[in-house]
Amino acid sequence: MNSHTNDLNQLDRERHLHPFTDYAAYRQSGGTLYTRGEGVFIYDENGHELLDGMSGLWCTNLGYSQPEIVQAITEQLERLPFYNSFFNCSNDAAAAMAGAVTDVMPAHINHVFFTNSGSEANDTNIRIVHRYFDLIGKPQKKLIISRENAYHGSTIAAASLGGMSDMHKQFTPLPYVHHVQQPYWYGADADLSPEEVGLAAAQSLADKIDALGADNVAAFIAEPVQGAGGVIIPPASYWPAVQRILDERDVLLISDEVICGFARTGQWFGCDTFGTHPDLITFAKGVTNGYQPLGGVGISDKITDVLTSRGGEFGHGFTYSGHPAACAAGVATIARYHALSTPRHVREDLGPYWAKKWAELADHAIVGEARTLGMLAAIELVRDKPSRSRLEPEHKAGLVCRGHAIENGLMVRAVRDSMISAAPLVCTHEEIDQLIERLRRALDATARHYGINTP
Ligand SMILES: *Cc1c(COP(=O)(O)O)cnc(C)c1O
């Protein structure tokens, strides 16, 4: 560690309150400064190399070496570093980005509202949905249904939409948001088939809408695959049943594609993979490859027709909605996804290879299940496979494994008793082999930690 980063590390520890961090622990033991990225690798202040199995925070889908995106941002900053899009103004980058992002969305989604983040985009969804039902004369349709263990961001509205009970304990969630079951097969009763778990979770949505009254329910928000909640890949029975339930009851679907969007599941959006027809699409993260903060909402023609034909001014927006540098990053990123045929590459080459290698982890002594979809993956850590009993009652095994992974040069994430990964969509097969090898070493060390023998 050189003295420069040493000083900065101390400054960070003493002055910087981080997101999702235990402050007492951080003050005591500190953290790690990352100072360089190259390809799919990140390097910390000591030069320690980590294969980035999380694509940053699910956002650097194309890794850390995309000069075209950097150049687009730089050129935009030199020419017009800022102008706003309030009161009939716009900028060329925002207009170009509106075209580029709606072009890759389903055919019935042709308008976009820009924000700076996924959280703000989900706040915007509520504003749009409430406005829409007011304008069509159904002002009582205001309730929003979400799911347990969902993650939709961290503003008051987005965290209310989320289903993280530990987060809800730290503020007062909005009263008009309700939650239903998640389609989590491995976490359900072991006697149930995946089909049954998917249908039961869908039925919990139908029951909730009927209990609240369909006339009062505006929308259902869901991630196609729950990401931060543990890469919960729904059984095949789930989404068709959910779409039917929503259609029958005139409830809008908000597809939160902040993680699933931009080829993560092997199509442009998760709704393309699962065949749903969302009225609103939340995007952020991979839209700029993480190089600039940008989020937004793709809005269906059904809703746009109402918003653009009645009601006057929509009283909502952010100073940086349609920020030129962020939009320039978005245009350049989408151009890279096109140039690399990223959705097809994930669907036909990288995803199948990843699925095959990841599935091999299931033979490890402490792996109860290994699942993937596109370039999303999770493993469930257990002490005993048939009973699915966990390694310890405190559910800290994931954190133990994450520590060993970092020691072995791999960044993955722990969610209670599972390890999750969302590797960059530009990994080579050799880099995937390397990721699996490092993860296997971390699993061996975790097994040893809990006194379990591995062959
Ligand atoms: C990260 C995330 C968000 C929040 O996005 P921010 O840019 O952090 O506000 C919303 N939804 C999902 C599914 C996410 O993964």
Side-chain angles (χ1 to χ4, degrees), residues 117-119 122 151-153 223 256 258-259 284-285:
S117 68
S119 302
N122 282 327
Y151 188 77
H152 296 298
E223 304 152 79
D256 184 339
V258 171
I259 286 173
K285 292 187 176 140

Side-chain angles (χ1 to χ4, degrees), residues 23 75-77 86 95 178 184 187-188 200 203 220 228 255 270 275 313 330 343 354 357 370 385 407:
Y23 296 132
E75 280 173 11
Q76 183 63 47
L77 286 173
F86 285 31
H178 298 260
Y184 179 23
Q203 188 58 40
F220 173 59
S255 194
E313 180 181 297
W354 174 245
K357 300 302 287 189
K385 297 192 190 202
E407 271 168 33

Side-chain angles (χ1 to χ4, degrees), residues 1-20:
M1 194 186 295
N2 64 44
S3 62
H4 177 63
T5 53
N6 196 4
D7 292 345
L8 290 177
N9 201 308
Q10 189 165 345
L11 204 53
D12 195 75
R13 198 196 287 204
E14 291 174 357
R15 308 280 185 95
H16 183 185
L17 295 184
H18 295 233
F20 292 95

Side-chain angles (χ1 to χ4, degrees), residues 20 57-58 115-122 150-155 158 221-229 255-260 282-285 293-295 413:
F20 292 95
L57 265 181
W58 324 82
T115 68
N116 308 294
S117 68
S119 302
E120 290 172 352
N122 282 327
Y151 188 77
H152 296 298
S154 195
T155 57
I221 182 168
E223 304 152 79
V225 174
Q226 284 187 334
S255 194
D256 184 339
E257 302 267 3
V258 171
I259 286 173
C260 290
T282 316
F283 64 88
K285 292 187 176 140
L294 179 67
R413 186 154 156 181

Side-chain angles (χ1 to χ4, degrees), residues 69 131 139 163 186 226 242 318 384 436:
I69 304 173
R131 177 84 173 141
Y186 199 81
Q226 284 187 334
V242 165
F318 304 102
D384 176 61
I436 299 288

Side-chain angles (χ1 to χ4, degrees), residues 10 88 104 170 232-234 236 269 274 325 375 400 408 422 431:
Q10 189 165 345
N88 295 8
V104 297
Q170 299 188 2
I232 307 300
I233 301 168
F269 290 92
F274 289 105
M375 287 299 287
V400 170
N408 281 285
E431 284 161 348

